[in-house]
Amino acid sequence: MPLIREIDYGTPASKAEASVTLTIDGQSVSVPAGTSIMRAAMEIGTQIPKLCATDMMEAFGSCRLCLVEIEGRAGTPASCTTPVVEGMVVHTQTPKLAKLRKGVMELYISDHPLDCLTCSANGDCELQDMAGQVGLRDVRYGYEGESHIHEGKDESNPYFTYEKSKCIVCSRCVRACDEVQGTLALTISGRGFNSRVSPGQSETFMSSECVSCGACVQACPTATLNEKAVIEIGAPEHSVVTTCAYCGVGCAFKAEMRGEELVRMVPYKDGKANRGHSCIKGRFAWGYATHKERILKPMIRASIDELWREVSWEEAIAHTASEFKRIQEKYGRSSVGGITSSRCTDEETYLVQKLIRAGFGNNNVDTCARVCHSPTGYGLKTTFGTSAGTQDFDSVEDTDVVLIVGANPTDAHPVFGSRMKHRLRQGARLIVIDPRKTELVRTPHIEADYHLPTRPGTNVAILTALAHVIVTEGLVDQEFVDKYCDVDAFQHWAEFVSQPERSPEAVEAYTGVKAADVRAAARLYATGGNGAIYYGLGVTEHSQGSTSVIAIANLAMATGNIGRRGVGVNPLRGQNNVQGSCDMGSFPHEFPGYRHVSDDKVREQFEADWGVALQNDPGFRIPNMLDAAVEGEFKAIYVQGEDILQSDPNTKHVSAGLAAMECVVVQDLFLNETANYAHVFLPGSTFLEKDGTFINAERRIQRVRKVMSPKNGYADWEITQLLSNAMGYPMHYSHPSEIMDEIARLTPTFSGVSYDLLEREGSVQWPCNDKAPLGSPIMHIGGFVRGKGNFVVTEYVPTDEKTGPRYPLLLTTGRILSQYNVGAQTRRTANSMWHEEDVLEIHPHDAEDRGIKDRDWVKLQSRAGATTLRAKLTERVAPGVVYTTFHHPTAQVNVITTDYSDWATNCPEYKVTAVQVTPSNGPTNWQEQYGELQRRSRRIAANVEPAE
Ligand code: SF4
Ligand code: SF4
Ligand code: SF4
Ligand code: FES
């Protein structure tokens, strides 16, 4: 398998529809107007020498290597910055050009360390290539004069080096940081000979604003910015295209390998979700896959007080199956169940739900989407008819007004966050509804037109107040509503939102948002052109999560912002495959494709295919399983790739439920928190060790490809299959493509999907069937999936979680860029250098009232429990609101979250907890011990301490 080298066309593609024809080196070529001569030449296979140009960024024209001659024009213009003109006649190879290019290369090489043979970029260096391409044989200037070749290295970033002596000051890194990533961390300092690339104000990379996305490293044509893994391991020799296993953006990467060793992950330019960009997690934080703490052998124990005993796979599977059978015989068919993983592939989640429905004989299956986006499924299905976002990511390029609700894209969905920043810097307007001043509210060259800092728990009131303005000020797109929506439902809704008690003025007192801002934001969204709503867990993880999703859908329908590019309702899904796990039938009431288990026709179809009778009543959701366990009715659970003890609310209740079970089976990479209560541990496999598919937030189905053998012996789907066979329900898949074929056979929205299609197209967005053989980038074009769009009234019901004298502050939670969810993977990489611990953000006024200073230890107490962590004083949060992340088990933030949940879906109310914050002496004993375990884990990750 060769190393995949993507073609670099030198400058970005022009989107113009008009075409221009010109002649290059005697050949006629037609290209879109606005194309550079350099790119036009590539179309006929002519690569003009270049150094500062690359097709990921706008042309810059600094290196003067790409000169061409144009008939009828004086001089030798740069082909990267010169657009094509009709009838133009261009020569790319003439004696004059050859001489000029050689002269340019001589200057570069005379100030470059000539250590090519030992350089880490040898064979992968554009400077080297260009020297060869222009035929450079000697350097007339010698190497004696003033030069930069003794400049040192910046090794501060754990993942890449900056070897200053090799820099040719082409500015590709600076432009990558500006244009692709949007962080603006780099600059060229000094002038002329003294020009140098500088992170921030002559800082190191680590101390600058750099967020370690890797765009500059990828853009650098020399070894100046180079991955440390390449320096240590050597140049990769083959690559395989696969999909990131962290977040719902679904970035495509080339896993670049030496044998079975991963050298680096390089974002794939053909990846339709990321278009060649990445964030720190997908790009660099893959070391957990080979971390020494990974459990590679199955283990069992009779009770959770005993030590684990390593056993063979045969024994582990036989033991698990016999326990599940014993328990079902003793306590009944419904006494067992399972949880699918949104980190695993579609094929793996499909198999787990199939095992439960067909092998266990009940519908007790649920997934972690229960605790994040289950309200999205409910809300969008109720209003539009489909449980998924409406757009592709490219759509944002045509958006005029971006409305972000309860989402922090630059931290939680960073690659899409960068694309959004790009659009905002081009002039799109911005409204942010969030209790916290997230980065996008104010960042270089971006300032939200309106930030509506809601009091946690009042989203429904604000969203309905926006609707109030739109309806009462006559801003409804009546033509759209009349044509595509249920008009009676609209009338009923319009009357409801028009009531005075829904007005911005009426809700200001409890939402905390100025009425004038709500009015102005509503006008902007309704009249500012294409309006697109992006929302996240700040919408769903509430007792009224489903109502908020419905309120968002109502806004989009009322303003006609649905069914074309640039508009829509877009949930930013959290985990890499949370969309897929929902699509694959992970909920207790739905078969794959969101079809209710009580639908006889659908069930009969599955019964015929699976060869067993299936239950027609919904099974237990995760909270019901735990409740039933505490009550003694639910006795065994199979948990694949999910740490419910750390990620689910009210940790005490979760641990009580798990402790009450007779057989807890955890299948995971590491001994997670849930495994403390497990009787069987089945080692899981990473995304690098298996074939399959993930589905991202755009409904995009993308291939995951195996690049190394499973270190534990089996891919996760094979383990489920072994268990199913041992349970007496046979499964005989030899490859995940066969599982996808079955999914396609049984799921109308997937009926056109196959691995062959994915191989040909790269990726497709469901629905993919006869009506849309290449998938559906945008949904609800020319009508809603459910028929007519359904407006639903959204009565605001305050949460039962109330502040009062004992708990006067509201806690809300979120994520940070460098860490991921419960941190099981990212904490086992150098990413922890950016975020070593969870801290509590508190407004300086609230801190002062309590005698708390920055970095002080504080006790965070709610009605459910207490924990301690350090305080960070910041005006990002409003007075009365505190905020923290939940990446580190030492903080155990979910000890203090409550049992309140969404009325429709049981999604926990993570975003609203009444708390008190008081000074503390420091972490509790168990936190100290746990912290030391974590520090040790990091030392092992950094290879400074052996695992044993
Ligand atoms: S790694 Fe990313 S954020 Fe850091 S300097 Fe490079 S492009 Fe900018
Ligand atoms: S660090 Fe690399 S990309 Fe940046 S200016 Fe130097 S050579 Fe160019
Ligand atoms: S944005 Fe998400 S999918 Fe993309 S590299 Fe980062 S974590 Fe992976
Ligand atoms: S590639 Fe055109 S000026 Fe550098």
Side-chain angles (χ1 to χ4, degrees):
M1 207 179 296
L3 196 62
I4 299 168
R5 290 207 187 279
E6 291 178 274
I7 298 170
D8 187 341
Y9 290 87
T11 58
S14 162
K15 288 187 183 152
E17 281 174 15
S19 163
V20 165
T21 302
L22 70 158
T23 304
I24 300 177
D25 295 338
Q27 287 191 61
S28 175
V29 57
S30 295
V31 288
T35 302
S36 69
I37 293 175
M38 175 178 278
R39 190 170 177 118
M42 284 297 285
E43 296 293 336
I44 54 167
T46 299
Q47 192 176 15
I48 300 172
K50 66 178 182 61
L51 275 173
C52 69
T54 172
D55 58 13
M56 289 289 287
M57 297 164 247
E58 295 302 326
F60 190 57
S62 71
C63 75
R64 308 297 297 162
L65 200 61
C66 68
L67 310 177
V68 290
E69 291 190 77
I70 302 173
E71 288 185 13
R73 276 203 209 176
T76 49
S79 63
C80 62
T81 49
T82 309
V84 294
V85 172
E86 185 68 35
M88 185 182 246
V89 179
V90 179
H91 299 283
T92 70
Q93 304 292 343
T94 66
K96 182 179 174 186
L97 293 172
K99 194 169 166 211
L100 285 169
R101 288 176 188 151
K102 251 189 205 170
V104 170
M105 281 308 294
E106 271 185 284
L107 285 171
Y108 278 122
I109 298 298
S110 66
D111 188 10
H112 198 80
L114 295 179
D115 57 356
C116 286
L117 286 183
T118 52
C119 176
S120 56
N122 190 15
D124 186 19
C125 169
E126 292 180 42
L127 188 68
Q128 203 178 45
D129 295 347
M130 289 308 124
Q133 206 171 321
V134 305
L136 190 71
R137 295 291 172 263
D138 59 7
V139 174
R140 286 167 297 166
Y141 313 115
Y143 303 97
E144 309 308 322
E146 206 182 347
S147 75
H148 300 94
I149 56 179
H150 297 298
E151 289 191 5
K153 284 187 190 177
D154 172 359
E155 305 244 32
S156 60
N157 185 293
Y159 297 121
F160 60 85
T161 55
Y162 170 33
E163 193 170 348
K164 299 173 193 173
S165 62
K166 295 191 168 169
C167 179
I168 59 171
V169 201
C170 65
S171 286
R172 273 164 66 159
C173 54
V174 180
R175 289 179 288 135
C177 194
D178 293 359
E179 294 175 30
V180 181
Q181 164 58 22
T183 293
L184 286 67
L186 300 178
T187 181
I188 301 281
S189 64
R191 289 193 171 180
F193 178 80
N194 293 322
S195 304
R196 304 315 282 161
V197 170
S198 164
Q201 302 292 319
S202 300
E203 296 159 70
T204 63
F205 269 87
M206 236 2 228
S207 55
S208 74
E209 295 286 302
C210 168
V211 293
S212 203
C213 71
C216 55
V217 182
Q218 195 184 346
C220 183
T222 65
T224 313
L225 291 166
N226 206 355
E227 294 92 346
K228 287 184 176 172
V230 174
I231 297 169
E232 280 156 25
I233 303 170
E237 35 81 4
H238 74 273
S239 50
V240 180
V241 175
T242 191
T243 305
C244 177
Y246 276 114
C247 88
V249 176
C251 296
F253 279 91
K254 290 183 287 178
E256 297 199 342
M257 313 289 296
R258 275 178 86 87
E260 284 226 341
E261 187 171 18
L262 180 57
V263 179
R264 65 179 170 188
M265 296 286 278
V266 179
Y268 189 46
K269 282 199 299 190
D270 257 3
K272 293 189 182 110
N274 56 320
R275 306 275 179 205
H277 189 34
S278 61
C279 83
I280 181 173
K281 295 188 286 287
R283 178 78 152 100
F284 296 118
W286 37 264
Y288 69 87
T290 50
H291 193 281
K292 290 170 182 157
E293 286 177 3
R294 243 186 95 180
I295 307 291
L296 300 175
K297 297 227 169 76
M299 302 188 294
I300 60 177
R301 57 183 175 182
S303 109
I304 60 170
D305 304 321
E306 290 181 8
L307 291 175
W308 286 106
R309 180 168 67 85
E310 278 185 6
V311 294
S312 65
W313 272 107
E314 291 73 22
E315 185 177 347
I317 295 292
H319 173 77
T320 308
S322 83
E323 276 296 275
F324 273 74
K325 284 197 263 189
R326 174 187 70 77
I327 288 167
Q328 283 194 301
E329 266 166 37
K330 186 167 173 193
Y331 300 101
R333 189 173 55 195
S334 296
S335 59
V336 304
I339 298 177
T340 70
S341 172
S342 293
R343 320 306 312 274
C344 287
T345 63
D346 294 314
E347 294 75 4
E348 287 165 342
T349 20
Y350 177 87
L351 278 207
V352 172
Q353 63 89 34
K354 180 174 178 180
L355 164 68
I356 291 163
R357 297 189 202 282
F360 293 179
N362 64 44
N363 288 318
N364 291 338
V365 56
D366 207 356
T367 185
C368 67
R370 172 71 48 218
V371 299
C372 65
H373 267 286
S374 48
T376 288
Y378 182 87
L380 296 187
K381 188 156 191 186
T382 306
T383 47
F384 298 163
T386 298
S387 304
T390 63
Q391 309 297 117
D392 58 0
F393 289 145
D394 288 352
S395 167
V396 77
E397 291 167 13
D398 290 312
T399 297
D400 301 306
V401 181
V402 176
L403 169 52
I404 303 174
V405 194
N408 185 4
T410 51
D411 270 304
H413 301 86
V415 165
F416 181 64
S418 291
R419 294 185 73 177
M420 203 180 245
K421 274 185 177 178
H422 192 71
R423 181 65 193 138
L424 292 168
R425 288 192 176 124
Q426 285 176 334
R429 313 282 299 272
L430 176 64
I431 303 162
V432 177
I433 303 179
D434 201 294
R436 202 165 155 260
K437 270 187 206 134
T438 53
E439 185 191 339
L440 283 177
V441 171
R442 190 160 194 202
T443 194
H445 308 301
I446 294 173
E447 177 136 28
D449 293 81
Y450 302 101
H451 173 219
L452 312 182
T454 43
R455 203 166 154 67
T458 60
N459 284 337
V460 171
I462 282 290
L463 293 164
T464 308
L466 289 168
H468 175 93
V469 178
I470 289 165
V471 171
T472 57
E473 295 192 8
L475 307 178
V476 169
D477 183 341
Q478 202 60 51
E479 198 182 322
F480 180 91
V481 171
D482 290 344
K483 197 163 172 192
Y484 298 121
C485 302
D486 179 328
V487 177
D488 290 342
F490 169 76
Q491 283 302 345
H492 180 56
W493 171 81
E495 279 161 28
F496 166 81
V497 299
S498 303
Q499 290 160 1
E501 62 267 36
R502 324 271 171 227
S503 70
E505 291 72 19
V507 302
E508 179 172 331
Y510 54 88
T511 60
V513 184
K514 286 187 201 130
D517 286 352
V518 178
R519 284 198 176 269
R523 288 171 197 142
L524 176 59
Y525 173 68
T527 64
N530 284 341
I533 303 179
Y534 294 90
Y535 72 88
L537 302 182
V539 164
T540 54
E541 290 179 341
H542 287 272
S543 59
Q544 280 205 288
S546 292
T547 320
S548 296
V549 174
I550 290 169
I552 284 171
N554 289 339
L555 285 177
M557 288 189 290
T559 52
N561 276 315
I562 205 92
R564 61 179 192 279
R565 265 177 77 92
V567 299
V569 172
N570 306 286
L572 294 173
R573 315 286 310 229
Q575 310 221 46
N576 56 323
N577 200 34
V578 66
Q579 179 70 55
S581 74
C582 297
D583 299 341
M584 291 301 112
S586 292
F587 289 129
H589 63 294
E590 284 171 338
F591 287 120
Y594 304 99
R595 287 155 310 149
H596 205 277
V597 292
S598 64
D599 183 327
D600 292 341
K601 241 174 149 178
V602 172
R603 202 178 55 260
E604 281 161 17
Q605 192 193 358
F606 279 90
E607 285 176 338
D609 201 278
W610 293 355
V612 285
L614 299 170
Q615 297 298 301
N616 64 357
D617 51 335
F620 286 142
R621 297 170 174 180
I622 295 171
N624 307 134
M625 293 185 206
L626 295 166
D627 291 346
V630 171
E631 286 156 17
E633 290 165 18
F634 188 84
K635 290 291 183 182
I637 191 165
Y638 172 40
V639 188
Q640 186 181 74
E642 171 73 359
D643 192 359
I644 55 170
L645 191 71
Q646 208 186 331
S647 62
D648 282 38
N650 198 344
T651 309
K652 279 187 202 159
H653 183 60
V654 180
S655 54
L658 290 169
M661 295 185 205
E662 291 185 11
C663 184
V664 173
V665 181
V666 168
Q667 183 172 323
D668 217 311
L669 302 177
F670 302 100
L671 271 177
N672 59 21
E673 300 301 297
T674 307
N676 290 332
Y677 292 86
H679 305 85
V680 179
F681 188 90
L682 304 175
S685 52
T686 69
F687 75 112
L688 297 167
E689 298 163 332
K690 55 190 165 194
D691 282 300
T693 54
F694 291 153
I695 302 176
N696 77 351
E698 315 162 281
R699 298 168 275 105
R700 187 180 297 286
I701 309 164
Q702 305 192 95
R703 276 299 312 276
V704 176
R705 292 185 177 86
K706 181 172 161 181
V707 301
M708 57 178 73
S709 315
K711 300 204 177 305
N712 56 330
Y714 292 110
D716 290 294
W717 65 270
E718 293 176 295
I719 299 166
T720 307
Q721 174 159 289
L722 287 172
L723 184 56
S724 190
N725 287 331
M727 287 288 296
Y729 180 73
M731 291 185 185
H732 301 294
Y733 306 99
S734 60
H735 190 269
S737 63
E738 296 167 11
I739 307 174
M740 181 53 86
D741 291 342
E742 181 174 317
I743 294 165
R745 191 164 71 229
L746 291 167
T747 315
T749 41
F750 282 71
S751 65
V753 181
S754 68
Y755 277 33
D756 284 347
L757 178 78
L758 295 175
E759 214 56 56
R760 275 199 313 277
E761 296 299 318
S763 63
V764 290
Q765 288 167 267
W766 67 258
C768 175
N769 46 28
D770 286 347
K771 274 197 214 152
L774 296 181
S776 314
I778 293 172
M779 296 198 72
H780 314 298
I781 297 174
F784 287 92
V785 168
R786 72 179 296 281
K788 294 281 184 186
N790 184 27
F791 283 87
V792 179
V793 297
T794 51
E795 185 80 56
Y796 168 61
V797 180
T799 169
D800 287 335
E801 178 68 358
K802 303 253 190 306
T803 52
R806 283 185 66 200
Y807 303 107
L809 303 171
L810 280 178
L811 170 76
T812 187
T813 59
R815 291 182 186 157
I816 201 159
L817 172 66
S818 56
Q819 294 289 347
Y820 196 72
N821 269 14
V822 297
Q825 286 127 307
T826 44
R827 281 187 287 105
R828 289 181 171 91
T829 70
N831 276 31
S832 287
M833 286 173 68
W834 281 267
H835 184 76
E836 271 203 287
E837 58 183 347
D838 293 317
V839 295
L840 185 78
E841 291 189 4
I842 182 167
H843 191 276
H845 292 169
D846 290 327
E848 194 181 348
D849 287 350
R850 291 162 173 78
I852 292 166
K853 295 189 297 301
D854 200 46
R855 301 285 299 156
D856 276 359
W857 282 98
V858 292
K859 181 179 177 192
L860 182 65
Q861 172 93 48
S862 75
R863 292 179 181 94
T867 187
T868 53
L869 62 178
R870 287 185 198 274
K872 179 180 175 188
L873 274 53
T874 172
E875 292 186 2
R876 270 192 188 274
V877 287
V881 176
V882 290
Y883 167 88
T884 187
T885 48
F886 50 85
H887 302 303
H888 291 272
T890 33
Q892 284 257 337
V893 171
N894 285 333
V895 165
I896 60 162
T897 49
T898 65
D899 266 346
Y900 294 122
S901 64
D902 176 47
W903 62 271
T905 65
N906 272 150
C907 181
E909 189 163 49
Y910 285 133
K911 303 297 180 188
V912 193
T913 308
V915 292
Q916 178 58 294
V917 178
T918 49
S920 154
N921 289 334
T924 57
N925 279 347
W926 75 262
Q927 282 180 304
E928 288 274 29
Q929 285 161 9
Y930 208 97
E932 178 45 33
L933 275 179
Q934 290 211 323
R935 284 188 285 278
R936 177 161 178 265
S937 162
R938 281 200 290 280
R939 291 197 295 272
I940 292 170
N943 272 326
V944 294
E945 180 174 316
E948 294 305 322

